[in-house]
């Protein structure tokens, strides 16, 4: 059984902003297993960055308990680790940021070696370790370059190498791909996934993009107004989101919302015939293997016009969406809809009269 490496129990962070009381985090409970890749998703102001500062004790909670690794760091809102013990704890937590935070006057090698300045290693060993990390992130040919000579993705690779310098048990990515283009984002996420597999480092992804966690996270927590409103495995979050905000994040990440908006603008859709229905079908797990379209045509004499389809694999399981027009007499349509529901396929009637 995997043990938690981060535990937050009943955590609240209360600010007093002049005469106004603000709860940045409200009664948060969070458990992240050792070796996991865990995504925390929410819009700006949701409380994600406050969670980061709680984990590495840059911020003290107003109440609650925190445990990092085997160390109880906060009890009843009181910080239990200070001084040398706190510095040692923070060395086990690597950080990568949106804007890289590199030393502009130092080379790639210099930036990574700098992170080792307090390590109990000789100068030669620090350089050797830095070179190994730089090679590991794919920048061996850029070792003598300065940040100004690097692309955004290359700068983030340097930042990752630097974050790994002290062999952290936890790597926190705080919006680390937000300043990168989609192609580079995928490359950085693939690198993080490889590092997780190779080293077992626990990765916490802080992001406002569900697309980011979809690519590599095993578990997801969704935050809103300082609270965790939903958390589950990544597959379950995408297959069966419970909260409107979660559904909104997923629709944006999948492209389904944008596709539906374009479909609804088509003249033919605005003037559906009496025997036509515009529906959205959601598949997950084994239901993606069922021959639904051919079954509807064969068994219910329903014509299916596919307008949009999307299928993707999350945690080695498939999740798909189809937006289609179903055409048949009212009686046959009704039976077809009943059959779809019995197959445990999500059915949403977007436009049309039949139910």
């Amino acid at each position: 059984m995997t043990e938690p490496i981060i535990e937050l129990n009943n955590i609240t962070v209360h600010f007093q902003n002049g005469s106004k009381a603000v709860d940045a985090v409200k009664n948060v409970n969070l458990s992240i297993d050792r070796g996991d890749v865990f995504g925390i998703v929410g819009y700006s102001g949701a409380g994600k960055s406050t969670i980061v500062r709680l984990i590495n004790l840059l911020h003290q909670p107003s109440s609650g308990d925190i445990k990092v690794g085997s160390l109880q760091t906060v009890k009843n809102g009181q910080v239990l680790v200070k001084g040398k013990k706190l510095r040692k704890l923070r060395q086990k937590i690597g950080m990568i940021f949106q804007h890289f935070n590199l030393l502009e006057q130092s080379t790639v090698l210099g930036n990574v070696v700098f992170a080792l300045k307090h390590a109990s290693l000789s100068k030669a060993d620090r350089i050797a370790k830095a070179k190994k990390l730089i090679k590991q992130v794919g920048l061996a040919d850029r070792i003598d370059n300065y940040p100004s000579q690097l692309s955004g993705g290359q700068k983030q690779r340097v930042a990752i190498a630097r974050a790994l310098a002290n062999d952290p048990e936890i790597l926190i990515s705080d919006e680390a791909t937000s300043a990168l283009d989609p192609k580079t984002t995928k490359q950085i996420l693939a690198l993080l996934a490889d590092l997780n597999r190779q080293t077992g480092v626990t990765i916490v992804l802080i992001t406002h993009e569900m697309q980011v966690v979809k690519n590599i996270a095993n578990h997801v927590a969704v935050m809103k107004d300082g609270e965790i409103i939903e958390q589950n495995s990544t597959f379950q979050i995408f297959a069966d989101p419970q909260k409107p905000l979660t559904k909104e994040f997923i629709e944006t990440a999948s492209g389904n919302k944008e596709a539906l908006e374009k479909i609804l603008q088509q003249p033919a859709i605005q003037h559906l015939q009496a025997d036509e229905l515009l529906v959205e079908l959601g598949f997950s797990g084994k239901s993606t293997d069922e021959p639904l379209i051919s079954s509807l045509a064969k068994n219910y004499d329903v014509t299916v016009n596919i307008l949009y389809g999307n299928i993707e694999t999350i945690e080695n399981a498939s999740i798909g969406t189809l937006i289609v027009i179903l055409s048949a007499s009212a009686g046959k349509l009704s039976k077809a809809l009943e059959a779809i529901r019995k197959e445990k396929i999500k059915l949403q009637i977007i436009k049309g009269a039949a139910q």
Side-chain angles (χ1 to χ4, degrees), residues 109 113 116 121-132:
L109 179 61
V113 168
L116 290 163
L121 297 171
S122 67
K123 181 178 180 181
D125 286 342
R126 289 199 297 270
I127 291 172
K129 185 173 186 178
K131 286 181 176 179
K132 182 180 178 181

Side-chain angles (χ1 to χ4, degrees), residues 59-99:
H59 196 92
Q60 181 176 342
S62 304
S63 61
D65 302 339
I66 300 175
K67 190 176 180 182
V68 180
S70 59
L71 187 65
Q72 182 88 46
T73 61
V74 176
K75 185 71 175 177
N76 297 325
Q78 299 300 309
V79 175
L80 303 180
V81 292
K82 298 179 181 179
K84 186 177 180 180
K85 201 172 183 181
L86 178 57
R87 288 193 295 273
K88 189 174 181 180
L89 171 71
R90 286 175 178 161
Q91 283 184 334
K92 292 299 179 182
I93 303 174
M95 293 287 301
I96 52 175
F97 305 94
Q98 179 178 355
H99 297 297

